[in-house]
Amino acid sequence: MKKLIVLFLCVVLVLSASLPAYAANARMSHGIYCDYDFYIGSSGSAEVSVYYEGNATTFTDITVETYIQKRTLGFIWTKVDNGEPNKTWVDTSTSRTGTFIHDLQLDSTGTYRAVFTVTFSGIGASSDVIENEIEDVYS
């Protein structure tokens, strides 16, 4: 009996080490879907966009804060001036679905990233906050 249990445990360990593990997406209370993108064209025109969809029963509003940073000295990220206070686009809406798009002409080549903070607010639970960064290169 001991040999059978040891054999079973060995098989389970081998299978668990060889099978890929997938992280489950956290379920949002007020948001259903959020897609963000950052793209730099060959002429240096950068575009950030956020498409979202809120939960029909709990969603009340959304706030999206977005800014672009440039990498300098290989590891330092500095905000790019986009003409907004704190160099950050702040978009809000009470519409359950929508898209926010911003364009910016970049001054010089290099590695850039867009930083997104999306906050879905609603009733009955705390706000859903999603943070993400997307890098692109202007060469």
Side-chain angles (χ1 to χ4, degrees):
M1 187 64 172
K2 277 185 174 182
K3 289 182 182 182
L4 186 59
I5 291 173
V6 169
L7 177 65
F8 176 74
L9 290 175
C10 287
V11 170
V12 169
L13 286 173
V14 168
L15 288 177
S16 66
S18 63
L19 296 176
Y22 296 97
N25 288 334
R27 190 165 199 279
M28 294 189 289
S29 299
H30 309 299
I32 292 176
Y33 180 78
C34 185
D35 184 35
Y36 17 78
D37 193 26
F38 175 54
Y39 172 78
I40 302 174
S42 59
S43 64
S45 177
E47 179 179 284
V48 294
S49 62
V50 176
Y51 168 75
Y52 71 91
E53 184 175 347
N55 183 323
T57 57
T58 64
F59 174 85
T60 58
D61 61 277
I62 187 169
T63 301
V64 178
E65 296 181 19
T66 312
Y67 55 89
I68 297 175
Q69 295 179 313
K70 182 178 182 182
R71 185 167 57 195
T72 56
L73 301 175
F75 62 93
I76 298 172
W77 291 97
T78 56
K79 279 187 176 181
V80 175
D81 188 4
N82 62 4
E84 296 294 318
N86 200 27
K87 301 176 184 175
T88 302
W89 289 292
V90 179
D91 300 296
T92 60
S93 178
T94 56
S95 178
R96 196 172 64 80
T97 62
T99 304
F100 300 114
I101 300 174
H102 295 284
D103 296 307
L104 180 66
Q105 181 62 46
L106 301 174
D107 293 334
S108 60
T109 60
T111 301
Y112 292 84
R113 71 178 176 189
V115 179
F116 302 86
T117 303
V118 180
T119 305
F120 286 93
S121 298
I123 54 173
S126 60
S127 296
D128 303 319
V129 178
I130 302 167
E131 297 176 325
N132 197 20
E133 300 170 352
I134 301 174
E135 285 187 29
D136 201 358
V137 176
Y138 173 30
S139 50

